[in-house]
Amino acid sequence: MKINSSYQFDRFKPERMQSEGRRLTKNVESHSQTLMQLFLEKGLYEAQKVLDVGCGTGAMIDLFSNVLTDKIYYGVDNSSEILDIAKKQHERKEERVTFVQSNANHLPFSDNSFDFVYTRLVLMHNSNPNDIIREMIRVCKPGGVICAVEIDDGTQVFHPYGEELSKLINANIMYAHLNGTDRTIGRKLYSFFVNENSVSDVNIIIQTSDYSNKNRKNEEMPILLKFALGEDEGKRFVEQGLLTENERMELVSTFIPEFCSDPNRFESSSFMYAFGKKVD
């Protein structure tokens, strides 16, 4: 399995590791209520042994293990550095939480080991996500639940300057694609799941995150715009021919500042959740 060149945690500089660790944890916290509600509804409450594939800092495990204290949790990630962060944050839960370094397409567990197996924002970074899904199915017990949570940046909506800001998002989608990341993978989850003969009861749930001035700080830049611009303010898109320099300059100097300062601005984006059961 090929992992993309644009996201390899162990190759980050120390300062970026720290900021990225905080960002990953905050990302889970931003929609923790929805995560908890959907996972409980779809079988987490009844599960006894839970596996997080691509666990990162362990933020998801922390969320669930703080509430559901009677379960055993395992987290797998290919990054030794990020697992060090996860282990430190869960030192008091050693009896219930175990972290293991491994690739997601070759999980170090026996067949039929877990009641609930999930992954979040991992498939998008891999060249063959089906291999990961099949490993998740393999280690899941018959009748157990598998779940994948992914983004789809193609669902992003802005007002005002929707057309102009969408150009930036589309440039980021294309740039990510050139570097091996699929930022529109959410729409593909249904076909991934239903094409597996050992998965039944496939269900897709779309969670929209709608933002206005009522629930964000004044003039705060939307996270996807901030992420797309990055430290180089989109210059990499110009270099790749995905934006012209004039378009980049208008975004930086006009469209984004005016969008952020508009008291009636609106932004919406989506997370997509795929749930399925392993056939008995």
Side-chain angles (χ1 to χ4, degrees):
M1 176 185 64
K2 181 181 178 182
I3 300 175
N4 78 4
S5 58
S6 64
Y7 191 93
Q8 295 188 38
F9 190 90
D10 283 2
R11 295 186 180 182
F12 293 165
K13 294 180 179 179
E15 59 270 20
R16 187 181 174 189
M17 282 187 180
Q18 293 178 3
S19 63
E20 182 66 1
R22 291 191 296 268
R23 186 190 72 82
L24 293 172
T25 299
K26 187 176 180 180
N27 189 287
V28 169
E29 292 172 350
S30 68
H31 63 128
S32 60
Q33 185 174 352
T34 300
L35 281 167
M36 179 64 76
Q37 179 181 345
L38 289 178
F39 276 49
L40 287 175
E41 289 177 355
K42 296 299 181 180
L44 183 62
Y45 185 78
E46 293 83 6
Q48 290 301 311
K49 198 173 178 182
V50 180
L51 174 62
D52 184 332
V53 178
C55 62
T57 62
M60 291 272 283
I61 290 177
D62 191 51
L63 172 67
F64 299 140
S65 62
N66 285 340
V67 177
L68 304 171
T69 59
D70 61 333
K71 307 183 187 310
I72 302 299
Y73 300 88
Y74 281 77
V76 169
D77 204 282
N78 66 350
S79 166
S80 60
E81 297 285 351
I82 207 166
L83 285 178
D84 286 342
I85 297 173
K87 290 174 183 177
K88 288 179 182 177
Q89 294 179 347
H90 293 79
E91 286 178 341
R92 296 182 180 180
K93 302 177 182 177
E94 286 185 350
E95 293 183 359
R96 297 189 291 122
V97 179
T98 301
F99 292 103
V100 180
Q101 184 178 4
S102 178
N103 289 327
N105 69 325
H106 191 68
L107 297 172
F109 305 109
S110 302
D111 296 357
N112 310 323
S113 296
F114 297 91
D115 304 293
F116 199 105
V117 182
Y118 66 86
T119 187
R120 179 180 176 275
L121 305 184
V122 170
L123 302 181
M124 63 185 288
H125 293 301
N126 292 274
S127 60
N128 196 342
N130 301 90
D131 288 348
I132 298 175
I133 293 171
R134 289 178 189 130
E135 271 294 271
M136 292 170 64
I137 296 169
R138 179 185 67 79
V139 301
C140 186
K141 294 178 182 178
V145 175
I146 62 166
C147 170
V149 184
E150 293 290 341
I151 60 170
D152 194 314
D153 284 357
T155 67
Q156 188 84 350
V157 174
F158 300 98
H159 179 79
Y161 300 117
E163 182 178 346
E164 292 82 2
L165 298 183
S166 291
K167 285 184 180 179
L168 176 60
I169 296 301
N170 289 333
N172 193 44
I173 290 171
M174 291 303 300
Y175 182 82
H177 177 72
L178 293 172
N179 288 277
T181 291
D182 186 352
R183 299 193 66 86
T184 61
I185 198 170
R187 67 191 66 182
K188 303 168 187 175
L189 293 178
Y190 180 75
S191 62
F192 289 163
F193 274 47
V194 298
N195 285 333
E196 298 295 333
N197 292 330
S198 53
V199 178
S200 65
D201 300 333
V202 177
N203 182 218
I204 304 295
I205 297 172
I206 300 175
Q207 175 222 353
T208 60
S209 299
D210 302 326
Y211 300 100
S212 64
N213 271 353
K214 292 181 179 179
N215 55 5
R216 70 159 71 249
K217 296 178 182 178
N218 288 339
E219 301 190 10
E220 180 183 6
M221 187 186 297
I223 186 63
L224 277 186
L225 297 184
K226 189 183 298 184
F227 188 74
L229 283 173
E231 295 179 356
D232 59 8
E233 297 186 327
K235 291 179 182 178
R236 62 190 185 277
F237 301 150
V238 177
E239 294 170 357
Q240 293 287 331
L242 303 173
L243 285 178
T244 67
E245 178 61 13
N246 286 339
E247 287 173 329
R248 185 188 75 84
M249 288 302 298
E250 281 188 312
L251 283 162
V252 172
S253 63
T254 303
F255 299 132
I256 290 178
E258 290 188 10
F259 170 83
C260 291
S261 63
D262 190 322
N264 298 314
R265 74 193 190 280
F266 178 78
E267 169 206 355
S268 180
S269 59
S270 299
F271 276 96
M272 299 193 181
Y273 297 70
F275 293 93
K277 286 189 176 182
K278 183 171 178 177
V279 175
D280 290 332

